[in-house]
Amino acid sequence: MNLAVRDVRYNIGRFLLTAVGLGLLLMIVMGMGGIYAGIVADATLLVDQVESDLWIVQRDTRGPFAELSRLPSSVEDRARAVPGVADARRFVTHTIQRNHRGKPLRMTIVGLAWPGDRGAWLPITAGRSLAQGHYEIVADQTLGLAVGDRLKLGKDEYRVVGIVNNMLSSGGDGIAFMTVSDAQAVQFDAVGEATRLERAARRNRAGQDDLGLVQPGLLERASRPASAIPALGPPMVSAVLVTLKPGVDADEVRATMEGWADATVYTSDEQRELLLRGPVDRARRQIGLFRVLLVAISAIIMSLILYTMTLDKLHDIALLKLMGARDRMILGLVMQEAFLLGAIAYVLAYFIGERLFPFFPRRVIVTGDMLIWLAIAVAVICIIGSSLGIWKAMRIQPNEVLS
Amino acid sequence: MTAHSPTSLTSPPAIETVGLTKVYGSGNTEVVALRDVSMTIERGEVVALLGPSGSGKSTLLSAIGLINPPTRGEIRIDGQVVMNGSRALVDVQRFRREKLGFVFQKSNLIPFLTALENVLVALAIAGREGRSARRRAMDLLASLGIADRARNLPSALSGGQQQRVAIARALANRPSLLLADEPTAALDSKLGRQVMELFRDVGHENRAGVLVVTHDQRALDVFDRSLRLEDGVLSEHAGSGATTLTSTHST
Ligand SMILES: Nc1ncnc2c1ncn2[C@@H]1O[C@H](COP(=O)(O)OP(=O)(O)OP(=O)(O)O)[C@@H](O)[C@H]1O
Ligand SMILES: [Mg+2]
């Protein structure tokens, strides 16, 4: 005869209510773990997806994801010249916030090195990748844009040609992909007055400079766009991505590039590490710590519930002992009920979470590992919680029934 | 004293105590609840235990029931020494489930089990499950007149019905000794008498020793014999002796 099942049936209302409560608690633990995993995954997504072996960034900076990194785009050509390098491409990223249809639209722009990189590697869910060198955008779905939408950025209008899934910056903003030159145009867009002032200042500087006096032609060029003035250098990029030829020793290539005065080189793994230790570090640690607390508190609450559940049955347990019941029978009653409660709560947590997490503004990734880990934790808590009760139950004297 | 029952010639007494003494506490708070209590109850003998409040009746019952060990003295059940002083000489749990049955003032049924299941759980504890156990439980309930309430939870039974389920449970494993502590205190006198008669009948039919603590002087004629405790000292109750001894043979 199974006593646990009969006891549960007798107290079914209270039992289910407790299970639902515990289920919600476990769901939050699960969600907190998922949010943590989501932050890490989102932060490293771009680095993981973009498929490059080395990242060349501004000297002594930690790369475009951690801080502002500006590198002359000529580094791209320099990198191509290093033996062992298969390909090098420019990488531009910056975050902007504009109004779109009356609502603030915050997005991180990533420039692709057209025509070598058209974004074929992107996980496109609708539309296509870039097909022309200008005025096209592939946008993350979290930006709420649709294929065919038009967007005015700077002086130009851009058209959304493709939608991607789960491409977020480390700050959690959706990414918009466009060509590097478009990205630079958006980044360095300045209002007309600012441009006029900048050009006047340039002419002024050149007029006082030896170079300006010796080569009057330069003075004339000072009024043209910055890209047309060789002495001032071409626009900056955020980083240069290097792909190595198969079998090439990355350290050797890296040593060569480290000799350049304006660059620092990271491998993809290092860039990934820097990301996790850099901008998302605090968020990650904050949520990690909160998760630990949540697990500890949940464990205590669950143990207490299981303990009081056993205390409620002490009288019946004493009676069973008086009738000569073996310890195994009493152990079975307490343990089976604990595990039944744990199992129902766990299943509830899983299904509620599955329904609820997609509505969260950021990704909640519940992995198989996490589910197994949580199941083990619940089982251990069931054992600990009911052990406390059993310890009490086993010490109870049958004469307590008499009183 | 053992000569009154023919069964005693072939089987040992259901219970025998020798010099049983129980002391609660020590020093200033010391209470001697039992003083040198020696007695014998044969199998098939139904005995009442009388005495004023605080005289040690419950203490004696719980000592015999291996619930509350005595300070000194010896307890023999079915001829086997089970307690010597406060030391148990047998597996107490096993002895309880195989030899002893308990009934208390409150019925003490397990609330989440039906009447039938409350009896079945006693059988299961003794390792008896399946259809034969079920039949035994139903037979017991039927013999106590509550077969029709077998599927009810205790909360749906009257006090008398609950007490009868508790008796069925106590009898399930055919104990050699049935102990009852004021089993009729919660019942009216008519029902109380019925329950007492039930004890007598099952004692005689199952050849079990039965010891019932009671305050109800009116039901004394039901018993074969009665004992009296006063300040922890046991004596044969006056007026119960020879007349009831003969009644044993009537069944
Ligand atoms: N656990 C205990 N600790 C200390 N003293 C106790 C304990 N149990 C009982 N006593 C004392 O032992 C004596 C006998 O108690 P017992 O319960 O056996 O009396 P009783 O005859 O059953 O009384 P009642 O008719 O009121 O049930 C009393 O003086 C009581 O105070
Ligand atoms: Mg008493």
Side-chain angles (χ1 to χ4, degrees):
Chain A
M1 174 162 23
N2 190 312
L3 293 176
V5 168
R6 284 174 172 78
D7 184 32
V8 167
R9 209 165 47 195
Y10 183 65
N11 291 309
I12 189 73
R14 201 181 63 164
F15 184 83
L16 285 184
L17 221 61
T18 311
V20 168
L22 270 185
L24 291 175
L25 192 64
L26 285 181
M27 187 265 290
I28 292 174
V29 172
M30 219 180 252
M32 207 35 93
I35 289 170
Y36 180 89
I39 284 184
V40 171
D42 284 348
T44 56
L45 204 87
L46 196 60
V47 178
D48 289 342
Q49 290 268 355
V50 85
E51 280 177 10
S52 97
D53 298 315
L54 295 176
W55 286 70
I56 309 175
V57 303
Q58 179 180 340
R59 184 90 193 170
D60 296 334
T61 72
R62 304 185 156 252
F65 302 115
E67 55 187 305
L68 197 65
S69 164
R70 302 186 80 185
L71 204 60
S73 47
S74 67
V75 170
E76 183 188 354
D77 303 316
R78 258 189 271 158
R80 280 216 184 82
V82 176
V85 170
D87 187 30
R89 53 200 157 113
R90 282 162 290 165
F91 180 86
V92 171
T93 183
H94 53 93
T95 298
I96 61 171
Q97 180 163 339
R98 299 292 148 87
N99 273 326
H100 179 64
R101 297 202 183 115
K103 273 193 278 181
L105 178 64
R106 192 176 162 78
M107 58 180 166
T108 295
I109 289 178
V110 167
L112 301 177
W114 177 273
D117 184 357
R118 296 164 188 240
W121 50 274
L122 291 171
I124 288 180
T125 56
R128 52 169 174 78
S129 53
L130 303 182
Q132 63 184 46
H134 281 295
Y135 314 130
E136 285 193 348
I137 288 181
V138 174
D140 184 74
Q141 66 171 25
T142 60
L143 294 173
L145 300 169
V147 173
D149 276 1
R150 284 168 188 285
L151 210 58
K152 183 136 169 58
L153 300 172
K155 295 180 181 61
D156 304 306
E157 194 177 61
Y158 295 80
R159 198 160 63 87
V160 177
V161 297
I163 300 295
V164 286
N165 221 346
N166 290 327
M167 292 305 282
L168 303 173
S169 73
S170 55
D173 304 312
I175 294 178
F177 295 91
M178 52 178 78
T179 61
V180 165
S181 47
D182 283 355
Q184 286 170 327
V186 172
Q187 182 176 17
F188 299 117
D189 169 56
V191 292
E193 182 60 20
T195 309
R196 251 196 311 284
L197 288 172
E198 166 65 14
R199 285 177 188 171
R202 249 186 250 152
R203 201 181 306 117
N204 198 11
R205 277 203 304 276
Q208 293 165 357
D209 200 280
D210 274 357
L211 199 63
L213 298 175
V214 178
Q215 297 192 351
L218 257 185
L219 262 180
E220 272 167 46
R221 288 207 200 177
S223 312
R224 298 209 209 131
S227 55
I229 311 169
L232 293 174
M236 298 289 190
V237 297
S238 302
V240 170
L241 308 185
V242 175
T243 314
L244 298 175
K245 286 177 184 153
V248 170
D249 183 9
D251 286 339
E252 226 168 273
V253 177
R254 190 176 174 176
T256 310
M257 294 170 176
E258 290 280 11
W260 302 342
D262 50 358
T264 293
V265 184
Y266 297 110
T267 63
S268 271
D269 285 344
E270 283 169 349
Q271 186 59 230
R272 199 170 181 280
E273 264 309 296
L274 283 174
L275 244 175
L276 290 182
R277 282 197 277 116
V280 293
D281 185 55
R282 286 232 184 99
R284 194 170 66 112
R285 283 218 314 263
Q286 177 122 340
I287 287 171
L289 208 62
F290 189 71
R291 185 170 67 144
V292 169
L293 275 181
L294 196 61
V295 168
I297 291 166
S298 306
I300 291 169
I301 291 176
M302 209 169 151
S303 300
L304 274 177
I305 286 174
L306 293 171
Y307 179 62
T308 49
M309 222 164 76
T310 311
L311 288 194
D312 282 348
K313 282 195 288 290
L314 273 191
H315 183 264
D316 301 329
I317 288 168
L319 192 66
L320 289 169
K321 284 185 83 171
L322 187 69
M323 288 158 65
R326 291 177 180 82
D327 290 350
R328 184 156 37 92
M329 191 178 206
I330 291 158
L331 213 73
L333 170 64
V334 174
M335 279 289 186
Q336 285 169 12
E337 236 170 276
F339 274 104
L340 196 63
L341 187 70
I344 292 177
Y346 183 86
V347 170
L348 275 177
Y350 179 80
F351 283 109
I352 298 173
E354 206 180 36
R355 295 281 146 79
L356 207 60
F357 295 155
F359 295 104
F360 279 43
R362 286 198 64 164
R363 261 206 301 169
V364 180
I365 303 174
V366 179
T367 60
D369 275 0
M370 203 187 295
L371 288 175
I372 292 170
W373 178 88
L374 193 64
I376 292 171
V378 168
V380 169
I381 292 167
C382 280
I383 291 170
I384 292 173
S386 47
S387 294
L388 287 172
I390 286 167
W391 178 73
K392 184 104 180 167
M394 289 301 168
R395 278 174 6 133
I396 190 155
Q397 287 306 312
N399 46 345
E400 292 185 32
V401 177
L402 298 164
S403 52
Chain B
M1 190 163 133
T2 54
H4 70 279
S5 168
T7 57
S8 64
L9 299 175
T10 49
S11 56
I15 177 78
E16 200 176 352
T17 68
V18 181
L20 216 57
T21 299
K22 176 71 185 183
V23 181
Y24 286 113
S26 59
N28 276 347
T29 59
E30 190 179 277
V31 176
V32 182
L34 296 176
R35 291 171 203 272
D36 211 10
V37 171
S38 298
M39 58 142 202
T40 306
I41 297 174
E42 302 295 336
R43 297 196 69 156
E45 197 179 18
V46 181
V47 178
L49 181 58
L50 302 163
S53 180
S55 57
K57 304 183 297 293
S58 296
T59 304
L60 179 60
L61 221 65
S62 62
I64 295 172
L66 310 181
I67 295 168
N68 198 357
T71 314
R72 277 189 301 281
E74 201 174 87
I75 298 172
R76 295 185 203 138
I77 295 176
D78 261 356
Q80 192 179 351
V81 181
V82 293
M83 294 295 281
N84 191 342
S86 58
R87 197 158 49 94
L89 302 173
V90 293
D91 177 352
V92 169
Q93 293 290 91
R94 214 193 87 208
F95 237 80
R96 281 205 196 110
R97 64 179 169 258
E98 288 176 358
K99 307 266 189 194
L100 301 179
F102 296 92
V103 181
F104 304 100
Q105 180 176 339
K106 286 183 293 167
S107 59
N108 273 315
L109 298 175
I110 295 176
F112 54 83
L113 299 180
T114 63
L116 179 64
E117 287 167 343
N118 262 288
V119 180
L120 283 174
V121 79
L123 290 162
I125 282 171
R128 296 175 61 189
E129 285 184 273
R131 291 179 57 182
S132 73
R134 242 186 140 69
R135 202 171 317 120
R136 164 96 182 130
M138 277 313 288
D139 285 351
L140 274 167
L141 292 176
S143 73
L144 291 162
I146 41 169
D148 56 325
R149 312 309 307 266
R151 303 204 175 279
N152 285 101
L153 289 172
S155 55
L157 299 177
S158 74
Q161 288 169 333
Q162 287 182 26
Q163 201 58 290
R164 279 183 272 172
V165 175
I167 293 168
R169 183 179 65 187
L171 293 174
N173 293 312
R174 301 182 199 280
S176 45
L177 184 62
L178 185 63
L179 302 169
D181 197 347
E182 302 188 43
T184 61
L187 308 179
D188 65 42
S189 61
K190 185 161 164 275
L191 197 57
R193 190 177 175 85
Q194 273 178 23
V195 169
M196 290 304 190
E197 283 170 354
L198 206 62
F199 276 116
R200 181 192 61 198
D201 294 345
V202 296
H204 291 170
E205 280 159 24
N206 293 320
R207 294 213 326 103
V210 179
L211 182 60
V212 181
V213 172
T214 181
H215 283 284
D216 191 356
Q217 301 272 346
R218 287 169 299 175
L220 279 187
D221 59 298
V222 172
F223 295 89
D224 296 333
R225 185 155 74 94
S226 41
L227 301 170
R228 186 172 178 80
L229 259 180
E230 201 117 24
D231 260 347
V233 179
L234 189 76
S235 59
E236 201 79 14
H237 185 55
S240 67
T243 52
T244 46
L245 285 184
T246 50
S247 72
T248 314
H249 304 282
S250 63
T251 50

